[in-house]
């Protein structure tokens, strides 16, 4: 009996795994890996980061334009001759190293600012983002002595945005795509872009922010100022961040300086660990945004704080944004635009207009094939109408004026439609002329 | 329909493998650049160095750490043709609302730290800026703060009051001939 036991095969757990078992293990591993990196999700959090980062860069570098040659010119703050005296890593590159005439600086700066604007608007995003990255790296490398924390963060976030398939939502690229579909059929509703790679890049940005906070806290824990709770006091004593009011408050209630110091370290330590959990994420995000708002308003680090907050946007859940969108739609209520389906110009302009309606707040009705119970055909022959939830009907210019304020994708038109007196003064006759001549357009 | 859904078989696997490699590589690069000095870090750094340098990713994330620096200020004295001296404090003129503020503050810090490197250009520029004074020479100064306590603040003092700073004249440079 014992012999037979000794000769019997080993228990299953100890047996060398069969190809089938290995395949199952590999499959489980792959499933876990996909769960971490490759979920099929939209680019929405990255798009918010894109818009914020590109707009901030446009403002930041735009305001540096008067100092272009001082900051980055050959005879400026860091002359090229001086830079060439130092040993240079061949991987450290800048397009400014190759410029020889002043117009090249100006042309490049102009192009770079245009690319920042295009990236913020999401126009030709797939390639302008690379030009923005190259420009940013070039400026930083041309004069490394004037770069600071935010330039490093920008480079990190921009590279991730370059990897990512951005420009698929909240962008002019998306508007173009939707408009093309709606020109064929006004009721077309192209699906929201989702991709495993979009999620992977969102994850990369999340990891970037977590790494940043972790090491930021770790470095602070080495210092006596942070251990002793004096760091925040010392920051406000610095000439760069001097704030007389805050200093007075902290001097009279010094415990506040201790709380602020330890609170900063606590949030920075907790963030990389608790940001991943569903329950703790909102609190961690709120904490991180709170400390950056403090940096912005108390230390005047507006650019740095804004860029950091945009990095944190990678942790936004799609469900939160959907809930926000649903709340907005409920608040505004359903709107129906009634147009002339026999007019090609009307259909083309409707396609263009509806392409900006990302939340799909506007319903449409062609009165030729589907007459409205509220607005007569005679009135509709003269102008387009918008029917509101309370059954009011606004015609022509007033319809557009009402919509641009209530559809977030059209907010960029608000300045045009809401100039006191002037908008209505010119808007009504222009609309009426177009409506009267629409058959010829 | 996104490109992934149309890829099956070995092409899909290859694509995912490539993407996974890039993700692992970039994540490791993020960690290596920020990690403190260690045996592993020293071994890994040369592998990642070209990537980190090319994309400007070399950073330690050590904001205000480990210690918060003492206060400092850049000043300069313009000596005019009549021998009169005029003191200027550039940071007082800067608006903190301007994004250029921190760049210019960095610039003044660089001048203080490397006056031999940046002094001549800075003085040439300042001489042009103050041409109305007919400047002959400019003396660059660095102000270093000492400890400033809450008690001092309660007594109505400021961090840059003379008793809390030391003023060092870094270099006097003559204005270039106009």
């Amino acid at each position: 009996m014992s012999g037979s036991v000794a000769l019997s095969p080993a228990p299953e757990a100890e047996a060398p795994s069969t190809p089938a078992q290995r395949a199952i293990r590999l499959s489980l591993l792959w499933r876990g890996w996909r769960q971490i990196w490759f979920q099929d999700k939209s680019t929405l959090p990255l798009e918010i980061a894109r818009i914020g980062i590109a707009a901030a860069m446009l403002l930041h570098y735009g305001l540096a334009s008067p100092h272009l040659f001082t900051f980055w010119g050959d005879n400026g703050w860091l002359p090229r001759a001086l830079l060439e005296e130092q040993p240079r890593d061949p991987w450290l590159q800048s397009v400014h190293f190759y410029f020889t005439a002043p117009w090249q600086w100006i042309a490049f700066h102009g192009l770079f600012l245009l690319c920042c604007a295009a990236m913020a608007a999401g126009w030709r995003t797939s390639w302008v983002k690379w030009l923005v990255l190259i420009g940013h790296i070039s400026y930083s490398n041309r004069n490394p002595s004037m770069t600071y924390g935010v330039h490093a963060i920008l480079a990190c976030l921009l590279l991730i945005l370059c990897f990512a398939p951005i420009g698929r939502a909240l962008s002019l690229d998306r508007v173009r795509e939707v408009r093309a579909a709606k020109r064929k059929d006004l009721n077309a509703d192209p699906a929201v872009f989702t991709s495993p790679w979009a999620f992977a890049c969102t994850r990369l940005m999340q990891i970037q922010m977590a790494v940043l906070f972790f090491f930021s806290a770790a470095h602070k824990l080495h210092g006596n100022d942070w251990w002793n709770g004096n760091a925040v006091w010392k920051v406000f004593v610095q000439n760069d961040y001097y704030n007389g009011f805050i200093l007075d408050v902290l001097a009279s209630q010094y415990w506040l300086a201790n709380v602020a110091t330890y609170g900063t370290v606590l949030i920075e330590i907790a963030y990389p660990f608790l940001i991943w959990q569903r329950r703790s994420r909102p609190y961690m995000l709120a904490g991180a945004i709170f400390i950056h708002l403090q940096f912005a308003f108390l230390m005047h680090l507006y650019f740095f704080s804004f860029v950091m907050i945009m990095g944190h946007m990678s942790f936004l859940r799609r469900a939160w944004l959907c809930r926000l969108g649903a709340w907005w739609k409920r608040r505004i209520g359903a709107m129906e635009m009634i147009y002339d389906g026999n007019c090609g110009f009307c259909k083309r302009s409707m396609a263009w207009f509806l392409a900006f309606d990302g939340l799909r707040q506007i319903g449409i009705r062609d009165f030729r094939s589907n007459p409205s119970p509220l607005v007569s055909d005679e009135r509709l022959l003269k102008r387009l109408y918008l029917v509101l939830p309370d059954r009011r009907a606004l015609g022509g210019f007033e319809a557009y004026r009402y919509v641009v304020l209530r559809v977030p994708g059209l907010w960029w038109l608000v300045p045009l439609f809401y100039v006191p007196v002037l908008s209505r003064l010119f808007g009504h006759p222009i609309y009426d002329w177009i409506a009267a001549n629409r058959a010829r357009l | 329909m996104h490109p992934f859904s149309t890829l099956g078989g070995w092409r899909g696997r290859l694509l995912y493998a490539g993407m996974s490699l890039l993700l692992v590589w970039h994540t490791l690069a993020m960690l290596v650049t920020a990690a403190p000095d260690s045996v592993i870090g020293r071994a890994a750094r040369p592998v990642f160095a070209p990537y980190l340098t090319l994309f400007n990713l070399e950073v330690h994330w050590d904001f205000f750490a480990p210690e918060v620096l003492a206060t400092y200020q850049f000043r300069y004295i313009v000596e005019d043709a009549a021998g009169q001296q005029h003191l200027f404090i550039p940071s007082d003129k800067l608006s903190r609302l301007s994004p250029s503020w921190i760049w210019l503050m960095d610039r003044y810090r660089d001048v203080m730290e490397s006056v031999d490197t940046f002094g001549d250009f800075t003085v040439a520029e300042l001489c042009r800026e103050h041409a109305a004074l007919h400047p002959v020479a400019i003396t660059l100064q660095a102000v270093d703060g000492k400890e400033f306590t809450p008690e001092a603040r309660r007594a109505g003092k400021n961090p840059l009051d003379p008793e809390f700073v030391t003023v060092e004249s870094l270099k006097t440079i003559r204005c270039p001939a106009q």
Side-chain angles (χ1 to χ4, degrees):
Chain A
M1 185 71 184
S2 61
S4 71
V5 169
L7 289 171
S8 67
E12 208 172 327
E14 291 168 20
S17 54
T18 62
Q21 286 169 328
R22 278 201 297 274
I24 289 169
R25 264 185 229 146
L26 266 177
S27 157
L28 284 174
L29 232 125
W30 172 234
R31 203 179 299 167
W33 185 249
R34 280 185 75 151
Q35 188 65 26
I36 294 169
W37 289 107
F38 296 119
Q39 295 178 36
D40 198 22
K41 292 281 166 81
S42 78
T43 54
L44 210 50
L46 292 174
E47 305 292 357
I48 294 170
R50 165 183 61 80
I51 294 168
I53 287 170
M57 287 180 74
L58 177 64
L59 182 70
H60 186 66
Y61 282 101
L63 286 166
S65 303
H67 309 287
L68 182 63
F69 292 102
T70 307
F71 286 173
W72 299 291
D74 270 356
N75 299 311
W77 178 352
L78 187 62
R80 195 189 299 200
L82 204 67
L83 201 65
E84 283 170 354
E85 279 174 19
Q86 296 155 12
R88 187 153 61 88
D89 187 331
W91 293 98
L92 192 135
Q93 287 294 331
S94 165
V95 292
H96 296 95
F97 294 156
Y98 305 96
F99 289 166
T100 51
W103 69 265
Q104 293 166 340
W105 269 267
I106 295 169
F108 179 76
H109 192 65
L111 176 70
F112 174 70
L113 293 181
L114 281 176
C115 288
C116 287
M119 188 175 165
W123 184 74
R124 307 281 174 190
T125 324
S126 56
W127 61 269
V128 294
K129 62 187 179 184
W130 287 100
L131 290 181
V132 172
L133 177 70
I134 290 167
H136 176 67
I137 292 174
S138 293
Y139 285 115
S140 297
N141 288 347
R142 176 59 188 82
N143 193 347
S145 67
M146 56 182 271
T147 58
Y148 61 106
V150 70
H151 293 106
I153 297 157
L154 273 174
C156 295
L157 299 182
L158 275 174
L159 181 60
I160 295 169
L161 288 177
C162 285
F163 289 153
I166 51 169
R168 310 300 185 110
L170 307 180
S171 67
L172 289 178
D173 290 338
R174 171 70 179 170
V175 166
R176 281 166 50 220
E177 184 194 348
V178 176
R179 180 171 159 263
K182 286 196 180 286
R183 283 188 72 160
K184 289 178 193 146
D185 173 9
L186 270 182
N187 290 306
D189 190 8
V192 172
F193 174 86
T194 60
S195 130
W197 184 238
F199 183 77
C201 293
T202 310
R203 185 68 92 203
L204 263 190
M205 195 177 281
Q206 293 173 341
I207 292 173
Q208 177 68 75
M209 297 311 290
V211 166
L212 191 160
F213 262 49
F214 175 78
F215 282 105
S216 186
H219 285 294
K220 286 182 173 71
L221 292 176
H222 281 292
N224 287 330
D225 291 340
W226 293 95
W227 268 114
N228 299 338
N230 299 324
V232 167
W233 168 261
K234 291 185 99 172
V235 166
F236 286 111
V237 167
Q238 275 197 0
N239 187 41
D240 288 3
Y241 308 106
Y242 175 78
N243 185 323
F245 171 73
I246 296 293
L247 223 49
D248 285 337
V249 172
L250 296 181
S252 58
Q253 303 290 331
Y254 197 72
W255 61 273
L256 283 173
N258 293 160
V259 169
T261 303
Y262 295 136
T264 304
V265 177
L266 189 69
I267 289 173
E268 287 187 350
I269 283 183
Y271 185 92
F273 299 101
L274 299 181
I275 193 70
W276 309 103
Q277 285 81 6
R278 183 176 288 271
R279 280 191 181 172
S280 47
R281 181 178 291 190
Y283 302 104
M284 282 293 102
L285 258 184
I289 290 170
F290 174 74
I291 58 170
H292 288 302
L293 290 176
Q294 306 291 310
F295 296 160
F297 294 110
L298 302 181
M299 295 166 68
H300 305 282
L301 291 171
Y302 302 104
F303 184 44
F304 167 79
S305 305
F306 186 75
V307 169
M308 287 293 287
I309 289 172
M310 288 302 115
H312 293 303
M313 291 299 108
S314 57
F315 283 102
L316 283 182
R317 288 189 189 283
R318 188 171 161 72
W320 298 346
L321 297 169
C322 289
R323 237 178 286 159
L324 185 69
W327 169 81
W328 180 257
K329 275 177 83 169
R330 268 199 315 278
R331 189 172 177 273
I332 300 302
M335 295 176 278
E336 185 182 61
M337 265 194 165
I338 312 172
Y339 68 100
D340 180 359
N342 284 0
C343 154
F345 174 78
C346 306
K347 284 198 280 191
R348 286 198 302 277
S349 43
M350 283 294 287
W352 182 86
F353 201 68
L354 292 172
F356 286 94
D357 179 22
L359 292 175
R360 296 171 183 83
Q361 292 172 259
I362 307 170
I364 52 170
R365 181 195 292 262
D366 170 12
F367 79 90
R368 303 275 188 180
S369 59
N370 186 11
S372 167
L374 290 172
V375 191
S376 68
D377 287 6
E378 288 72 34
R379 289 167 73 194
L380 283 162
L381 279 169
K382 287 185 187 154
R383 55 174 64 93
L384 163 149
Y385 272 83
L386 179 76
V387 177
L388 306 181
D390 60 4
R391 300 170 73 84
R392 269 187 304 145
L394 301 175
F397 176 79
E398 289 301 323
Y400 283 105
R401 193 168 186 270
Y402 184 90
V403 165
V404 296
L405 195 61
R406 287 155 182 87
V407 173
L410 293 167
W411 282 347
W412 59 278
L413 283 171
V414 168
L416 199 66
F417 278 79
Y418 280 84
V419 180
V421 185
L422 291 179
S423 287
R424 280 188 162 129
L425 188 69
F426 292 104
H428 282 289
I430 290 172
Y431 177 87
D432 290 342
W433 184 86
I434 292 173
N437 295 281
R438 63 184 188 271
R440 284 185 282 158
L441 294 170
Chain B
M1 186 178 283
H2 57 74
F4 296 91
S5 58
T6 59
L7 288 171
W10 67 269
R11 283 170 70 185
R13 278 200 286 273
L14 201 66
L15 184 66
Y16 273 107
M19 291 189 305
S20 299
L21 270 177
L22 176 60
L23 294 169
V24 171
W25 168 266
H26 190 82
T27 306
L28 287 176
M30 277 185 219
L31 293 166
V32 166
T33 189
D37 193 34
S38 66
V39 175
I40 298 174
R42 275 197 296 274
R45 195 163 280 275
V47 178
F48 290 96
Y51 180 73
L52 295 172
T53 308
L54 184 67
F55 291 111
N56 227 353
L57 305 175
E58 280 185 280
V59 63
H60 301 291
W61 310 124
D62 51 356
F63 309 116
F64 300 102
E67 304 294 346
V68 180
L69 296 176
T71 190
Y72 57 84
Q73 190 183 52
F74 172 69
R75 296 175 182 175
Y76 59 91
I77 297 170
V78 177
E79 187 184 330
D80 66 21
Q84 270 199 316
Q85 295 194 328
H86 310 265
L87 174 68
F88 291 92
I89 303 171
S91 58
D92 287 356
K93 287 190 295 181
L94 294 174
S95 164
R96 288 191 183 185
L97 293 173
S98 164
S100 300
W101 163 70
I102 199 142
W103 281 353
L104 292 167
M105 295 302 283
D106 277 359
R107 178 187 183 180
Y108 299 134
R109 190 201 57 217
D110 287 344
V111 174
M112 287 187 287
E113 286 177 358
S114 315
V115 71
D116 290 331
T117 307
F118 297 110
D120 291 339
F121 172 74
T122 305
V123 165
E125 200 185 65
L126 292 174
C127 290
R128 280 196 298 275
E129 188 183 326
H130 297 288
L133 291 174
H134 305 291
V136 175
I138 289 182
T139 301
L140 305 174
Q141 292 187 326
V143 176
D144 288 313
K146 297 177 193 165
E147 193 182 353
F148 185 76
T149 60
E151 292 76 28
R153 183 65 184 180
R154 286 200 293 272
K157 305 287 186 184
N158 282 314
L160 288 172
D161 285 348
E163 65 261 46
F164 300 108
V165 295
T166 53
V167 181
E168 184 191 354
S169 287
L170 300 168
K171 203 171 184 179
T172 299
I173 300 171
R174 296 194 69 76
C175 287
Q178 297 296 311

